Amino acid sequence: MWKKIKRWLGYGPKNYAEIPEDERLAIIERSSIQVSRGVFYSTIIIITSFLPVFLLTGQEGKLFHPLAWTKTFILLVDALLVVTLAPVMLSLFMKGRFKDDHANPINRFLERVYEPIIRWVMRWRKTTIGINLLALAVSVPMLMSLGSEFMPPLDEQSILFMPVTLPDVSNAEAKRILQVQDKLIKSVPEVDKVLGKAGRASTATDNSPISMIETIIMLKPKSEWRDGLTKKDLINELDAKLQIPGVVNGWTQPIINRINMLSTGIRTDVGIKVHGQSLDSIYAVSEQVKAALNGVPGVKDLYVEPVTGGKYLTIDVNRDALGRYGLSVDDVNGVVESAIGGSPIGQTIEGRRRFSINVRLAQDYRNSIERIRRIPIATAAFGTVPLSAVATVRFEDGPPMITSDNALLRGAVMFNVRDRDLGGTVQEAIAKVNRELTLPNGYFLEWSGQYENLIRGQRTLLLIAPIVLVVIFLSLYLAFGSAREAFLSLITIPFALIGGAYMVYFYGVNLSVAVAVGFIALFGIAVETGVVMVIYLNDAMKQLVAKRGNSRESISRDELREYVINGAAKRLRPKIMTVSVALFGLVPVLWAAGVGSDVMLPIVLPMIGGVLTSSTHILLVTPLIFLMTKEYELRKFGKLDVLDASH
């Protein structure tokens, strides 16, 4: 029994073949030469397939350029080692008694499963090609039905709450709203810490008005959340709790919010910039845009950036009254400055820093227009008189903040996108706004935010993708010296799309730049495996011609089919290894958790599905198309076009 097991595992003495030293080195040299050119051009093809990633700009370029450079340098070093170090290592360590490929039990099992399938494929040719074309045809509408977004949302493990209230809100009211909101937010058990601020920070780059509140919400680990609760559910619960009259809620995340504000000037996912010449007209158009966007599925946190409604304190000096009291305009201005704005009376020094000391009336004596009117002014002959005796004090409406783009006044309608893909939401919103809105002369809209980045990324990818396919085809042509063989390897790309489309569709992932990068990486892997298959099929043809001659009379269709099957099946292990290495490195990402996993998943999904379908196509359909091509050559030209497999 033990002897049978050892023989099945390949340890029997009959499985060994003695090879002289010179012949062993010659075999290693010949094998290295055989694969060296294929490896070189496969490397060029994979690097070429990443060309669109190198041409990405903006936020997406900064994110994916390190990936592209890392993969490129690894491939270059790998190709160098394959053609230099690997043959030397083989000559040093591949010594002793060698076994036949059939002695390996895994290889025997794979051949036992694969050979009947490939024979069935050779017999049912039209059915096989029809099934592949049908699967490809089905994948196209699946891809077209997917939503689109710029980048998959990264879960930052925190929430940024950005409500906006009326532009004329007072400091005291802003403080009260902030305290109420923080108390309500902290009442949710999943919230760990809350920190809110109103207005701008102590920096010249933060021009936030007092009406804009920013609250950072730090969350507890998800293991401490209530069962079944998601981040989306948590935001909906918080939003329901924080419905305060006069306050429009906005929900985002800290990092992406800063990126949006720095790159596009919009602090939400999408913003419609309204450009024009008059702030009042801009505000009117913005309100019309907001009304048109109401009811669009996916549009959340919709509000108009206030460009009017600000309150300005105006003090008009009455010069006749000044003359009666013996005062000057400078006297009144000095009192107003010191009482409301504050007058510098000194300076404090703390190390190398210097701070001015200002004195002004306490807030209780200047927090209403009536108190300001009663500010006393000393006169030389009439004692103390109130400010209202020599000036008119009133509030006037004006813009709380003036924003411009490209020397044009600008307002904005802002909203976030939730429960739907960004691309589909904005496309429906654009169609509705164009249908319901008529702009005055000299006014126009500009769609910005994440949608602006989405359009830029799509244009870059669509522009460079055809060029990449042409470069890949030229690389394959240089590798094989035949346009037909190059096309045979290139045809694996659309069939790689099948698995990628199915995986992305069934996981419910939207099309984004990350998904596009995954498909780009898939193209190189698919073509690389196809190159390996074509090399071995050409090697089988070379063996056939060496044995039977190269003529229609000496080569039968049955012999041709058997040699094609032999070239596909007898070298099955290296092809399976090529596919398995890619899968083993990618599949663990499907179960990854933590920060960043939600961005990695859209990259990996098309690669996993595409590797599976492209490898199936390469193992089954590529030999069939190769056989049909060789049968056509025999029938038309009377001989085979045998390429030198010693690439």
Side-chain angles (χ1 to χ4, degrees), residues 210-229:
I210 193 67
S211 60
M212 191 176 80
I213 299 171
E214 294 182 0
T215 301
I216 297 178
I217 305 171
M218 304 300 296
L219 303 176
K220 295 178 181 178
K222 289 191 175 182
S223 58
E224 301 179 22
W225 289 18
R226 285 166 283 175
D227 292 338
L229 189 71

Side-chain angles (χ1 to χ4, degrees), residues 261-297:
M261 292 182 71
L262 290 172
S263 61
T264 64
I266 300 298
R267 55 179 174 266
T268 54
D269 293 339
V270 183
I272 305 100
K273 296 179 179 179
V274 183
H275 296 274
Q277 302 296 328
S278 169
L279 290 176
D280 292 333
S281 299
I282 288 175
Y283 185 73
V285 172
S286 300
E287 287 292 340
Q288 295 176 27
V289 173
K290 178 185 176 182
L293 292 177
N294 275 321
V296 175

Side-chain angles (χ1 to χ4, degrees), residues 277-558:
Q277 302 296 328
S278 169
L279 290 176
D280 292 333
S281 299
I282 288 175
Y283 185 73
V285 172
S286 300
E287 287 292 340
Q288 295 176 27
V289 173
K290 178 185 176 182
L293 292 177
N294 275 321
V296 175
V299 174
K300 306 291 183 180
D301 310 330
L302 177 64
Y303 74 95
V304 175
E305 184 180 56
V307 294
T308 61
K311 299 298 183 181
Y312 290 85
L313 180 65
T314 301
I315 301 176
D316 288 333
V317 176
N318 187 335
R319 296 179 181 271
D320 293 336
L322 288 179
R324 288 196 299 270
Y325 290 108
L327 297 173
S328 67
V329 174
D330 287 341
D331 295 333
V332 177
N333 288 341
V335 170
V336 170
E337 178 187 4
S338 59
I340 301 176
S343 298
I345 62 170
Q347 193 177 65
T348 178
I349 301 175
E350 298 180 11
R352 298 182 61 189
R353 296 179 297 175
R354 287 165 170 77
F355 302 95
S356 62
I357 302 173
N358 292 351
V359 174
R360 62 178 175 176
L361 288 178
Q363 187 171 353
D364 291 341
Y365 296 95
R366 53 181 172 83
N367 60 1
S368 71
I369 194 168
E370 291 301 326
R371 291 182 180 274
I372 293 175
R373 285 171 178 163
R374 291 201 296 267
I375 293 176
I377 300 177
T379 65
F382 298 93
T384 301
V385 298
L387 178 63
S388 58
V390 294
T392 303
V393 182
R394 68 181 186 276
F395 280 121
E396 288 186 350
D397 291 335
M401 182 186 301
I402 298 177
T403 308
S404 64
D405 280 354
N406 298 322
L408 289 174
L409 294 176
R410 189 265 286 174
V413 182
M414 303 185 187
F415 64 88
N416 290 314
V417 178
R418 291 198 296 273
D419 305 326
R420 191 182 176 188
D421 68 289
L422 185 141
T425 302
V426 176
Q427 288 295 333
E428 183 176 343
I430 290 175
K432 191 174 181 183
V433 169
N434 291 341
R435 187 171 59 251
E436 299 181 5
L437 188 65
T438 301
L439 294 174
N441 291 334
Y443 291 78
F444 64 93
L445 305 180
E446 179 185 357
W447 294 78
S448 186
Q450 290 288 312
Y451 183 71
E452 180 181 339
N453 297 328
L454 171 64
I455 296 301
R456 185 186 64 246
Q458 287 179 343
R459 287 176 178 172
T460 302
L461 293 172
L462 290 176
L463 177 65
I464 199 63
I467 301 175
V468 170
L469 292 177
V470 171
V471 175
I472 290 176
F473 180 80
L474 292 176
S475 301
L476 290 170
Y477 178 77
L478 294 174
F480 294 112
S482 168
R484 186 164 54 249
E485 306 293 337
F487 178 76
L488 193 60
S489 298
L490 191 66
I491 202 174
T492 58
I493 289 181
F495 290 97
L497 289 173
I498 297 175
Y502 281 33
M503 287 285 286
V504 171
Y505 180 83
F506 287 114
Y507 265 80
V509 174
N510 293 321
L511 295 177
S512 62
V513 176
V515 174
V517 170
F519 276 111
I520 288 168
L522 169 64
F523 293 164
I525 297 174
V527 172
E528 178 187 24
T529 312
V531 168
V532 174
M533 172 61 84
V534 173
I535 286 176
Y536 287 139
L537 290 175
N538 277 301
D539 185 47
M541 292 299 98
K542 188 176 181 181
Q543 295 175 16
L544 174 61
V545 170
K547 181 178 180 181
R548 301 290 297 170
N550 192 1
S551 85
R552 184 165 45 197
E553 290 74 18
S554 60
I555 300 176
S556 65
R557 292 186 61 183
D558 292 339

